[in-house]
Amino acid sequence: MPFADYTSQGAVAVITLKNPPVNALSVGLRAAIADGVERANNDAAIRAIVIVGSGSAFCGGADVSEFGQPVMAASPSLWDLFALIENSPKPVVAAINGLALGGGLELAMACHYRVAAAAAQLGMPEVKLGLLPGAGGTQRLPRLVGVERALNMIVSGNPVSARDLAQTPLLDATVDGDVPAAALELAERVIAEKLPAKKARDIRIDSTTAEAFLQFSRGAVAPLAKNYPAPLKCIQAVAAAVAQPFDDGLKIEKSLFIELMNTTESKALRHAFFAMRGAAKIPDVPAGTALRPIKRVAVIGAGTMGGGIAMNFVNTGIPVTVLETTQAALDRGLSTVRKNYESTVKKGRLSPADFEKRMSLITGTLSYEDIAAADLVIEAVFEDMEVKRQVFQKLDQVAKRGAILASNTSTLDLDKIAAYTKRPEDVIGLHFFSPANVSKLLEIVRGAKSAKDVVATSMAVAKQIKKVGVISGVCDGFIGNRMMNVYFRQMELLLDVGALPAQIDQALENFGFAMGPFRVADLAGNDVLWYIRKRLYLEYPDRVFSKTPDRICELGRFGQKSGAGWYDYKPGERSASVSTLVNDIVLEESARLGLTRRTVGDEEIVQRALYSLINEGARILEEGIALRASDVDVVYLTGYGFPDFRGGPLFYADTVGLSNILRSMREFSRGYQPDAWQPAPLLVRLAEEGKTFADWTPPTRGKT
Ligand SMILES: NC(=O)c1ccc[n+]([C@@H]2O[C@H](COP(=O)([O-])OP(=O)(O)OC[C@H]3O[C@@H](n4cnc5c(N)ncnc54)[C@H](O)[C@@H]3O)[C@@H](O)[C@H]2O)c1
């Protein structure tokens, strides 16, 4: 049988879920389980039923790709299936052999008995997609594990191990060994002892303490409620479990679920979920491409980035050799790594034994001979083409055949760097973000000659070191920084016409950004951005920039590191306070330009910020720098603090409507600095055709 196997062992029917990788409850699997239950109930020789998963999962939950589609309600729906199981006259035992998440845990709870592997992870992650467990989860879980624990699981979305739930009515047994055998044994005992089909719905909730937990939870999640409607609705559904009869509670849960399903926030979070998964697919690089083994890594340069990059590999058990030019620089770099790990030990997140192990995996050297055996070399030296040239020419001489030679450059032409070697096919960009051991994003910069297996191996490396890899073509700033440069320029120009830095930051933080642009600049270093701007002034002499950021830099206000930037900072503190000096400079610049300052509303700030990102994103798509619109979103969600409940800049654009955006951009182009508002041809085309970025696929994908 596709989706599930049906077998019998004596008087017990065994339905084995077979829908890899995680037995998601797509319509096919739902039908197969329902068929199995009905067949067992129609067979006089069968007296009990076991439902068991296969592989590492019992059941990973609903099939998210069905959400919002008609197939989600196709018969049997989850609701039909769980009612069928719960009402089965023959007792049903869930054998939770592994992961049971969301609909998977709901499936188990609709059964009458449950046996779980002690290590199995059980959870209700729906809230992370802006939803609630909509097929009985909010009604059955509080009955089976108590209101407090159920609220924690449902509102946090975090899984709990079966071992920790062993003492609750949720689990009749937890075992370390063979789960199907234990479930079969329980089913035989149920038959022998004529035990009843226990229904979770029949359990009465003790409401005396429940209200206090509900109230506490409401207070805890209220601050999030503006941007994330799901947690409060989860609490509302659990409250219904406490106050209402089971069937009424189910109805309330279902209507809240449907309400959430239609929110933009849930749509955005679901988009982000698929976008992250989709980013690993590279159209012209087949999934089965043979990968180059990466067993030893070398990092060139032990500065801000090099140390963090090395830590990523050490954390997954891969030995790293770090190469520097001087012993002093090497010692400095390695001691920063040590301090980083020491602080993790102090916080209790790393054991002293693991600390020793990690430090033993990292070695320093001043000699290229010591990195000749590396399978992957990542260069993180100064951002200077001449230094990169020397490093890559040397690497070409010493690196073993087949080694991947990667550059962490942020701005330089990767194809030029590759051309310094006689093996450009082995060269690729691995653009880490600061702090390199923390930031989730890794832009994989595919050069004109990068070999397909080098690209595929880089994507696999990203996954191995727990990053989200996104493919970018070669251009100035790649996907993320190229868009960021345009956004910064817009926000700085807004200062000239009437806004102030704190107002702009606040407007964008209210929109949901982790930090507004001026706070970001103070963190990243205004000197770094100044350096980039100076290059842009030369390369794009017709582009108009605000002079204000340069004036800030001329005063040595480089940001947090120098104790002053767009904001003032007290020594040793990160909290920013408004600088009257900076505000005066902003006003002086407007006067110097002969501009009468006007009130700039928060809505205009958000529009100018977002539409500048979106417009550059459209150019990036059209030029084939990004493979798909959702990749641009992933870059912003994982590397730039873009709010996940907005789905990324291009998803957000689709929710606003491209023709609305185009109309606003045309209005902006009639104002100050019109050159910045030339709409990208792709944006115009899609808007005119009434299409979205999600509709767009490139004419010829990838490179051949
Ligand atoms: N700092 C960031 O936020 C960031 C983010 C992404 C990418 N990058 C890129 O990463 C690279 C490194 O940046 P960083 O911020 O770590 O710089 P850094 O100045 O902190 O460190 C560079 C290190 O390289 C060493 N070095 C210089 N020449 C060398 C050589 N020939 N051989 C070996 N080591 C050499 C220096 O001694 C120094 O320790 C640059 O290409 C930069 O554009 C930086």
Side-chain angles (χ1 to χ4, degrees), residues 303-305 324-325 380-383 387-388 408 410 431-432 434:
T304 311
M305 296 306 287
E324 259 292 353
T325 43
V381 301
F382 299 137
E383 187 73 338
V387 185
K388 306 273 187 203
N408 185 45
S410 306
H431 187 216
F432 289 80
S434 181

Side-chain angles (χ1 to χ4, degrees), residues 1 124 222 637:
M1 197 193 299
M124 289 290 184
L637 290 167

Side-chain angles (χ1 to χ4, degrees), residues 14-17 23 49-54 57-59 92-100 104 107-108 111 113-117 120 171 173 175 178-184 186:
V14 178
I15 301 168
T16 307
L17 315 186
N23 302 319
I49 304 163
V50 167
I51 298 178
V52 62
S54 56
F58 170 68
C59 173
V92 186
V93 181
I96 306 171
N97 52 301
L99 207 65
L107 168 66
C111 297
Y113 294 89
R114 286 159 293 275
V115 177
L171 300 175
V175 293
D178 187 341
V179 178
L184 202 63
L186 176 62

Side-chain angles (χ1 to χ4, degrees), residues 70 95 118 130 179 203 220 255 290 322 341 384 429 447 450 492 501 506 574 578 599 629 692:
V179 178
I203 299 175
S255 83
V322 179
Y341 280 132
D384 178 320
S450 305
E492 290 154 4
Q506 194 58 58
R574 283 168 173 249
V578 168
T599 305
T692 64

